[in-house]
Amino acid sequence: MVAGAERTEYADGRRGDEQARPLTRFARLSRTAFVGGIVLAVGLFAWGGWQRRWIADDGLIVLRTVRNLLAGNGPVFNAGERVETNTSTAWTYTVWFFSWVSQARLEYVVLTVALSLSVAAVMFAMLGTGKLWGGTSSALLLPAGVIAYIAVPPARDYVTSGLENCLVICWIGLLWWLLIRWSRAERVRLGALFGLVFLAGLAPLIRPEMTVVGGLALLLIFCSPMPAFRFGPVALRVLIVAVAGLVPLMYQVWRMGYYGLPYPNTAVAKDAGGAKWGQGFIYLWDLVGPYFLWVPLLVLLVAGIAAARVGRQAPTATEPKQGWSVHRVRDRLRTPGAVVALMLGSGLLLTVYALRVGGDFMHGRMLLPQLFLLLLPVAVVPIRLPQLRKLREGGWSFAAVRRAGLSFVVLVLALGGTAVWALCAAGTTAIKTGTKINASGIVDERIYYVLNTGHDHPILAEHYLDYARIRPMVEAIRDNPNGGLLLNSPSFMFWYVAPPPLPIPEGGVGHTVYFLNLGMTSMNVPLDVRVLDPMGLAYPLAAHTDRLTDGRIGHDKSLYPDWVIVDTGMVDRKPWMPWYMDEKWVTQARTAMSCPDTQALLLSYRDPLDWDRFKHNLRNALRFASYRIDRVPKYEIQRCGLVDPFPEPPR
């Protein structure tokens, strides 16, 4: 043992997996059953995801950024505007990497990568839980929690959606497997430890709220006993912090300087720090209620407790020491039980966060990682036959054997109950009004676009040309070569084109589309067409408006088009301006946009990026993030203290 290293032997008598033992007939059977269970679960998930293959409108938003990356415009949505429209940084660059390597069509790259990561997540989860229960030497490890997850229709909907769900659950599954291996290892190797903490440190790049999972995992590792290291445990802890924080810290500094925000623009657009508890509980029940999801969660909770009790009945070489001390508490941190508590606690915390922000408008999507976390400890369950030999040899008491038999019955019933529930839930349709959005604002996104595009599997961008208003948009761009601003009519029936002022330069001034559905619009037009949205995912001016109190969840910001007329420099007079717009409002919007703080915000992502701009953005990123404007030009003029060009007459 190197001097200064902390001890790695534990009072509970844990042994490493390195000790090879000849496989018994039961162990061979158990290993075969475990491998077969993994193949079955992976196959079912892959088949279910393929049957529901599609790419969501929001998934196409990611591809617009990837197109700009491949074209050399940087990680932006519109060339010349540094806006981070994708919540998952890691997912954007994962898609970019495989697109760059394969040179294949982007939609097919996403389809392949997403399906691969989704099934890998199930495999990692089962491997980790199998290790949790001690491997295949003493029990049959049969799939349980993974079957419950696969059976939930939204879980299969988001296998290939083009969104980052696949990457999130894959990261969670891999982290779970490596943490369990770390907790059971007799001697922790430094290479494996650094790999584990590097993976945990990627959490904020996987998705910002995953910092809860990764941060707690790093805290658990940091506070646990350290393996042997020549410079001592303190130096090793410093290295752990450096390895875990290097990539996310470097990216954070770059993000603040490049984009002028401390987090993705999507967090500003959706006010990720806001509270809508009532809507959050509606969103939770929208997932739990239709599938009776509480049934497998309760059944598998009982199964997990029963399996854990049986696992503790076999006597260990050294009984755990009783009492409390700092060293004993620290020793217990590197145990499977501590890892289980971490994952369950993270799942509950993330569920509370989802409730607070109001969930999402996509049925089930924002709660799938939480469900995956909560099911991890019972992804597989161990079936241990009551061992009468232990009773004869005096290793177990008769009461212990009786408890083992009772647990065996409970686990078998739990497996059967979960299987029956899964068969019933798998074919359930939660939302039956697929072509309409109900009062809650929540919609089955896949069914909605299947019905509204007429394609069973809307995957390619051109499939969305059959969605209302998209093909006419492409035609309007073609029919107006001089450029202009495309605004959809209030009835959403046709497009207005606000023209540019004279003189029009040769080749026109370019086109700007102002529409809510960013993905299908941006992927069906060239990169030189600017695409903005009233909600603000790709348009910071809209993102920094105040949240609408009664707006649809996930869409509760809507910037009036008067601002966009001014921002794009189009003709602001009738009859060239759309009939439903008010010249007075447009004039007031021009005044409102002159607010110094608003101009500073616009310059933060539109100014050419040099060292001075980078430093300025870095210093002011937090201020930019909290800045809000009023979407009504008149009220924004008052807020900023400007002179209204149309003052109200004195009363």
Side-chain angles (χ1 to χ4, degrees), residues 127-383:
L127 289 173
T129 309
K131 184 74 69 175
L132 168 71
W133 296 119
T136 58
S137 60
S138 61
L140 285 173
L141 299 174
L142 302 179
V146 292
I147 298 301
Y149 183 80
I150 292 169
V152 179
R156 305 195 301 280
D157 283 345
Y158 290 98
V159 167
T160 66
S161 66
L163 297 165
E164 69 278 357
N165 287 72
C166 57
L167 179 64
V168 171
I169 62 171
C170 185
W171 176 81
I172 290 173
L174 181 58
L175 182 67
W176 161 253
W177 182 33
L178 295 182
L179 280 171
I180 292 295
R181 287 172 60 90
W182 165 78
S183 71
R184 283 198 170 275
E186 182 180 11
R187 181 173 300 171
V188 178
R189 295 181 175 87
L190 290 180
L193 179 63
F194 289 142
L196 173 59
V197 298
F198 178 80
L199 180 70
L202 293 178
L205 303 182
I206 300 297
R207 192 172 165 90
E209 61 263 36
M210 287 301 113
T211 304
V212 172
V213 185
L216 290 176
L218 289 172
L219 183 63
L220 181 71
I221 296 168
F222 185 85
C223 295
S224 66
M226 293 288 106
F229 185 63
R230 64 178 300 180
F231 298 110
V234 174
L236 182 54
R237 285 191 170 93
V238 171
L239 274 177
I240 285 174
V241 173
V243 170
L246 180 63
V247 171
L249 181 61
M250 289 177 61
Y251 184 81
Q252 183 64 19
V253 172
W254 180 83
R255 167 189 276 158
M256 294 171 70
Y258 186 80
Y259 295 113
L261 287 175
Y263 34 71
N265 186 61
T266 52
V268 180
K270 298 191 178 186
D271 268 350
K276 283 194 172 183
W277 287 99
Q279 179 65 27
F281 281 101
I282 291 173
Y283 188 72
L284 176 65
W285 187 248
D286 184 74
L287 175 66
V288 173
Y291 312 114
F292 297 93
L293 193 53
W294 57 270
V295 173
L297 290 175
L298 181 60
V299 168
L300 291 173
L301 173 63
V302 174
I305 294 173
R309 289 190 60 183
V310 174
R312 287 199 301 265
Q313 288 170 9
T316 57
T318 306
E319 290 296 329
K321 296 179 181 179
Q322 302 299 317
W324 291 93
S325 70
V326 173
H327 291 291
R328 289 171 187 167
V329 170
R330 191 174 61 186
D331 286 348
R332 292 180 184 274
L333 292 179
R334 194 165 77 88
T335 60
V339 177
V340 169
L342 183 151
M343 291 299 178
L344 293 179
S346 297
L348 293 174
L349 285 174
L350 288 174
T351 301
V352 172
Y353 172 73
L355 293 177
R356 184 180 188 275
V357 299
D360 191 41
F361 65 96
M362 298 186 195
H363 170 61
R365 180 203 166 200
M366 292 301 293
L367 291 173
L368 290 177
Q370 291 88 321
L371 179 62
F372 195 75
L373 282 163
L374 295 175
L375 290 173
L376 279 176
V378 287
V380 297
V381 295
I383 302 296

Side-chain angles (χ1 to χ4, degrees), residues 559-563 566 582 584-593 629-640 642 644-645:
L559 184 69
Y560 290 114
D562 309 82
W563 297 80
V566 175
D582 191 324
K584 176 181 175 181
W585 274 53
V586 174
T587 303
Q588 288 176 321
R590 188 181 308 280
T591 301
M593 284 191 68
I629 66 175
D630 198 302
R631 72 189 188 121
V632 178
K634 180 179 182 64
Y635 299 152
E636 173 59 15
I637 290 172
Q638 295 173 1
R639 186 200 67 82
C640 193
L642 302 172
D644 192 337

Side-chain angles (χ1 to χ4, degrees), residues 52 59 89 165 190-191 288 316 401 445 467 480 640:
R52 294 169 175 250
T89 302
N165 287 72
L190 290 180
V288 173
T316 57
V401 174
E445 190 87 344
Y467 184 77
N480 291 272
C640 193

